[in-house]
Amino acid sequence: MALEKKVGELLNTQVNKEFYSAYLYLTFADYYDMRGLKGFANWYVIQAQEEVAHARIIRRYLLDNDWPVKMLAIDQPDKTFENDLEPLEAALEHERYVTASINECYAAAHEAHDFRTMQLLDWFVKEQGEEEANASEMISNMELFGSDPRGLYSLDREYLARSFTAPTDMDM
Ligand code: FEO
């Protein structure tokens, strides 16, 4: 089945957005690394790995459906942060943007009666729900405990424990 033009183009753009997300989250990791918060830095390095996995899943899907994938230029992240809360807020804002972008892909697939692509995107819709929930929780945790050095230390230890597991139910 050939992909409808709009669906293929939106998915190709989504590959780029996922790689940009990885770039962006590495800059968050850099901020926390420089602050000495290795756990928060670890969280965002792992997050970057997840974003690369997302990009690869969509790339694989495009190739499997004979769409000529274009590796578009990745924008330079331009955010600077004044405090430990700001990257967390920027992450939630970014994930909401990605959710809207996935929804746009879904709407195009729906309109084209492209049920195969809708099935691929079902996974991403669920994943976005989890990513937004994680981002919100990190903000709440920082607001509740981050102003106390022991609270911040304990959060940092918690985030240090995160490790990367590739999604086993998706082809890359
Ligand atoms: Fe690939 Fe964080 O969404």
Side-chain angles (χ1 to χ4, degrees), residues 31-165:
Y31 167 83
Y32 288 117
D33 206 282
M34 299 287 282
R35 284 268 299 128
L37 291 166
K38 300 288 185 191
F40 283 85
N42 175 64
W43 177 279
Y44 282 111
V45 168
I46 303 293
Q47 192 57 39
Q49 284 177 279
E50 286 214 349
E51 301 303 350
V52 170
H54 295 167
R56 288 182 57 198
I57 290 166
I58 301 171
R59 168 188 170 273
R60 180 78 260 152
Y61 179 81
L62 287 170
L63 291 173
D64 287 346
N65 287 277
D66 297 326
W67 185 267
V69 178
K70 283 197 199 88
M71 283 296 145
L72 306 168
I74 302 170
D75 286 341
Q76 181 179 348
D78 58 359
K79 289 194 183 301
T80 51
F81 303 115
E82 303 292 329
N83 61 59
D84 299 337
L85 185 60
E86 284 183 6
L88 309 180
E89 290 172 334
L92 179 58
E93 186 189 326
H94 183 68
E95 286 305 328
R96 285 178 174 156
Y97 160 77
V98 174
T99 297
S101 180
I102 291 288
N103 289 348
E104 199 186 336
C105 294
Y106 204 109
H110 186 264
E111 201 181 322
H113 292 178
D114 179 349
F115 304 111
R116 186 185 299 168
T117 299
M118 285 161 67
Q119 198 169 48
L120 170 89
L121 292 171
D122 281 337
W123 185 88
F124 281 89
V125 169
K126 185 162 175 278
E127 178 76 4
Q128 282 311 120
E130 289 168 14
E131 304 243 300
E132 284 189 38
N134 282 338
S136 279
E137 190 184 306
M138 288 180 83
I139 292 171
S140 310
N141 283 343
M142 181 60 87
E143 285 172 344
L144 282 168
F145 311 115
S147 53
D148 168 50
R150 278 168 304 182
L152 186 62
Y153 178 78
S154 139
L155 281 178
D156 195 56
R157 292 293 106 176
E158 184 184 326
Y159 298 143
L160 194 59
R162 187 183 189 194
S163 61
F164 176 65
T165 38

